Amino acid sequence: MPLDDNSNGDFHRKLIEEVLEAYPDKTKKRRQKHLNVAEAGKPDCGVKSNIKSIPGVMTIRGCAYAGSKGVVWGPVKDMVHISHGPVGCGQYSWSQRRNYYVGTTGVDSFVTMQFTSDFQERDIVFGGDKKLAKIIDEIETLFPLNKGISIQSECPIGLIGDDIEAVSRAKHKDIGKPIVPVRCEGFRGVSQSLGHHIANDAIRDWVFDKKAIDFTPTDYDINIIGDYNIGGDAWASRILLEEMGLRVVASWSGDASISELERAPKAKLNLIHCYRSMNYICRHMEEKYGIPWIEYNFFGPSQIAQSLRAIAEQFDDKIKENAEKVIEKYKALTDAVIAKYRPRLEGKTVMLYVGGLRPRHVMTAFDDLGMEIVGTGYEFAHNDDYQRTTHYVKDGTLIYDDVTGYELEKFIEGVRPDLVGSGIKEKYPTQKLGVPFRQMHSWDYSGPYHGYDGFAIFARDMDLAINNPVWSKFKAPWKAA
Amino acid sequence: MPQSAAKVLDHMPLFREPEYKAMLKAKKEQFECPHPADKVQETDDWTRSWEYREKNLAREALVVNPGKACQPLGAVFAASGFDGTMSFVHGSQGCVAYYRSHLSRHFKEPSSCVSSSMTEDAAVFGGLNNMVDGLANTHALYKPKMIAVSTTCMAEVIGDDLNSFIQTARDKGSVPEGFDVPFAHTPAFVGSHVTGYDNMMKGILSHFWNGRERQASASVNIIPGFDGFCVGNIRELKRMLGLMGVDHAVLSDTSDIYDTPSDGTFRMYAGGTTLDQAKAALNAKATLSMQAYCTEKTLEMCAEKGQQTAAFHYPMGVSATDEFLMKVSELTGKPIPEALELERGRLVDAMADSQAHLHGKRYAIYGDPDFVIAMARFVMETGGEPVHCLATNGGKAWEEVMTQLLASSPYGAGCKAWGGKDLWHMRSLMATEPVDFLIGNSYGKYLERDLRVPLIRLTFPIFDRHHHHRFPTWGYQGALTVLVKILDKVFDAIDLNTNIPGETDYSFDLTR
């Protein structure tokens, strides 16, 4: 889709230069490698990524624990996930990802609960393994319907030399359920990203092939990988895949049960939405079980239709016909949504700064509404993400990797987009500037945004954010001149 | 197809449409390998039993749904109340992302704070370079007047020494000569966010006070403590002290930083205690703490410096406000003005008007130690009965204070104080010994749902209701806000239970 529209490019280059002026020399040299302007025809976005954040600059990134507990494991609903270490990590991440699920919380589901070993000084000094064993026993006593337990390591675990793997093995023998140790201490890696990888590996090593699975396969078995069901995203996606005649074996990991994870290797195809956080397990399943995987994009009708067709291509004519039927069935809805909202959003400019997928994946949904992305960047992307980004961005788009609070504020001030999509920490500083904002991690407590049903909500939300009358009230009338 | 452009269905109605219900039912039956429904029901019932309560209270290691956060959050909050101050947390960077998110979700405001972004190599070699580079970057980019350094548990476990690190950073020119960099070690595995508040407050004040001669003045210092209602409360506090004509300094004044206007400018720093005020605070006649458990070490230091000290427990309600004002009056010699006496009278008037609806109501209360004391006390002043009072970060000493307070009123007779317990304990307590209302924060909504007990949100954090923190809960005016919040729930509960036409028309009264 890259267009030959370079009108913004020079302006954006100048902005980058200005922003870098504020840094001490050493930091400037490092930061300039993360900022660029997209150029058509290049293989990537020309920025370095997945590198350590610089101290003291106000990175927006989180940590490996956030990537494992918060993203990958937290949504697995019928397991208990122990935030192992001091109380804070579990407390701040408690119920904040909006991974929707259905279950009886506290009885057979545990997603919106905070289980912690609440480390005290004595645990740091003497080690926490005995305490961990006791905690697992207490979970078994008080939450007997749990289907397994994961241990999400916080920073101290790896520093004090605890052997949570040994505890897990011993306790697995005791109680016969999966006990999964995850070495996602927050100091590992440079962002959430390594946490995703470690969490994927833990599923590979501690869940797959651990017991006989009773399963009758069909030719149409697929897994949804990398959809965390934020605001119900995975459900709005699943309904389309089922309408196409496919059978979703595992929802991974939004609204997931451990049984689904265990059965996933029996499927015929892996569909991966969040490539960044889940490509690891797809590659493993491909290697070990011969399951192919394809990336898809369920944001906005253009990408949904393209994805449904690409998925159908992997199956027989019946599924291909069904895909066309599904696209046709929802056409009236998407046409109506676009007719209603596009005139209100046409030509509006957007800056994005999100995690590892959405900075590119949502672009076409904005495009479907006539909106233009003028800047985008990732918290924790790798180079393969920036390569994939070139398929989506226009020439001249401002690119910022691991942006700092300072840079983002200056870019927003300079560009003055009509909308910024980023996270809770960025929301209020942006709105103070008078620039409309939507949280694009949590869908700002709305959603789903995936699928056709989600697109209607997405369009409605972008409209209400941009066209709310409050933005016209910022200046006192006696000061307006 | 339930979705339409004309009436866009949100997640709430959307997933209740028949298509989605059928889909989720099939997912469960075919792929989730669920426990049988009767087994789930039986287990659910059992979790509400006395037997379960005994097992639950016997827990020794597991903590479920705690009502506390970790030290650095309190440190970041305390530092944010000083003019132009940037918090710098030494350790892993994810922690800082969490503090900022947590504060922003409550206040619906920006929350600025930086990390030294330590990773695996720093775990091995120590984070000195991170401190040296980090302070230089923070100073250059965000142009603070002061950088307040605290620590995550990572830096504490590997034993980084803030004092020497900051000195080295100074020597290497990270910050200009004489630039203020107070610090506090804030290990997450000791105490809670209230401990972190205390440590940072002491760190900042000792930075300004140590090595200086105290010249006693007539001014009074007030330390508010960790408070989600700080915006309303500190303004109310200053108004009352203004009415009394008391020369005072609020140490860590967070009322403006968490309440900045929308006028086209992002204020990274707004208001707060000036650094000159912090210095001059050494000379104050007395330091008063609004929350004893937030200032244990700080007040000790104030006393050592020769100041008089007094600590309160989050003064809310009639007698607690009386005591606070009388203490201020006693210390300063300024009489309590008629204006405040009028406000007191109006509060008592409101309580008298509504007493019939409050008398004998049973409450479960949880939160930080000072808050729970205050709340139980006010509830008893209205004729209400606290039944379960719980503070995850309250210890034995707190339990004793609570027990004495409860013994001081006939309305406290049936109540027990639970220090160190969590909200899953509270679930058992409420399931076995029911109450009419639950007072706490947003986390209480899970108890409200499980036990069908209305929740009154009166303490940090409040994520799912907006703007409560803009209104005070301290002083006579604040007590009025609290009173109305409780009364609204009381009346809403009656209306919700009497709104079935043809069945309960008789109790659905227009006037109450």
Side-chain angles (χ1 to χ4, degrees), chain B residues 35 89 91 132 139 222 227 240 257 266 302 328 358-359 395 415 434:
Chain B
H35 296 284
V89 189
V132 172
H139 187 264
I222 314 251
D227 180 17
M240 290 192 293
I257 189 69
F266 162 46
C302 293
V328 171
L358 297 169
H359 197 103
C415 182

Side-chain angles (χ1 to χ4, degrees), chain A residues 22-24 26-27 52-59 61-63 65-66 77 86-89 91-96 98 100 102 104-108 112-116 118-121 124 131 134-135 138-139 141-145 147 155-156 159-160 186-191 231-232 235-236 238-239 242 247-249 251 255 257 259-260 263 329-330 333 336-337 340-341 405-406 409 424-425 428-429 432-433 445-448 453 456-457 460 474-475, chain B residues 1-11 14-15 19-20 23-24 27 30-35 39-40 43-44 46-47 52 55-56 58-70 73 86 88 92-94 96-102 104-105 108-110 112-121 123 129-130 133-134 136-138 140-142 153-154 157-158 188-191 260-266 268 423-424 427 443 446 449-450 463:
Chain A
Y23 285 103
K26 184 174 157 191
T27 308
K52 273 196 285 191
S53 302
I54 300 169
V57 297
M58 209 180 303
T59 174
R61 284 172 167 176
C63 64
Y65 163 89
K77 62 183 177 181
V87 70
C89 318
Q91 201 71 2
Y92 307 126
S93 56
W94 179 5
S95 285
Q96 295 297 352
R98 302 188 66 240
Y100 280 6
V102 181
T104 308
T105 304
V107 180
D108 68 356
T112 50
M113 296 175 70
Q114 179 349 27
F115 292 83
T116 172
D118 188 16
F119 260 36
Q120 302 298 304
E121 199 149 24
I124 300 289
K131 186 177 199 179
K134 193 173 217 174
I135 283 172
E138 290 180 350
I139 289 172
T141 304
L142 293 167
F143 306 95
L145 299 191
K147 294 277 195 76
C155 287
L159 299 171
I160 62 176
F187 60 80
R188 296 195 196 277
V190 302
S191 67
W235 294 337
R238 183 187 193 98
I239 203 163
E242 288 188 357
R247 200 169 82 128
V248 182
V249 175
S251 179
D255 191 35
S257 54
S259 311
E260 294 171 59
R263 278 155 184 72
K329 175 184 165 187
Y330 286 94
L333 170 66
V337 168
K340 180 173 177 183
Y341 292 109
Y406 177 82
E409 185 194 341
I424 183 69
K425 306 187 292 298
Y428 301 106
K432 301 285 180 190
L433 297 171
Y445 322 120
S446 177
D453 287 346
I457 300 171
R460 192 270 323 263
F474 272 47
K475 280 271 172 281
Chain B
M1 188 166 63
Q3 191 60 288
S4 78
K7 187 174 189 302
V8 175
L9 295 184
D10 268 313
H11 45 81
L14 182 67
F15 297 128
E19 290 94 330
Y20 279 103
M23 182 187 87
L24 292 174
K27 174 181 184 287
Q30 294 173 33
F31 303 107
E32 293 183 2
C33 302
H35 296 284
K39 178 84 184 161
V40 174
T43 309
D44 193 353
W46 170 67
T47 64
Y52 188 89
K55 285 186 197 297
N56 192 5
R59 258 193 281 146
E60 289 176 352
L62 173 67
V63 174
V64 186
N65 298 353
K68 66 172 180 181
C70 66
L73 182 80
M86 177 63 80
F88 181 107
S92 302
Q93 70 193 13
V96 167
Y98 279 143
Y99 316 140
R100 295 180 63 206
S101 302
H102 206 65
S104 282
R105 284 176 179 134
K108 317 296 177 202
E109 284 288 326
S112 299
C113 175
V114 298
S115 164
S116 67
S117 293
M118 284 166 65
T119 51
E120 228 151 348
D121 54 343
N129 289 337
N130 300 65
D133 290 350
N137 286 327
T138 302
L141 279 188
Y142 299 111
C153 56
M154 177 202 183
V157 171
I158 66 173
F189 45 81
V190 176
T260 59
S262 269
D263 58 1
T265 304
F266 162 46
M268 183 167 274
L423 300 187
W424 195 255
R427 188 177 183 273
Y443 298 122
Y446 299 117
R449 178 185 63 188
D450 286 4
F463 298 134

Side-chain angles (χ1 to χ4, degrees), chain B residues 313-331:
Chain B
H313 298 298
Y314 203 84
M316 215 163 42
V318 183
S319 298
T321 305
D322 293 347
E323 280 167 20
F324 171 70
L325 294 177
M326 282 155 62
K327 187 72 191 179
V328 171
S329 177
E330 176 201 317
L331 281 168

Side-chain angles (χ1 to χ4, degrees), chain A residues 378-393:
Chain A
Y378 297 86
E379 269 183 47
F380 47 78
H382 299 203
N383 196 44
D384 51 357
D385 296 299
Y386 283 104
Q387 288 166 356
R388 284 165 167 77
T389 308
T390 57
H391 306 308
Y392 291 97
V393 290

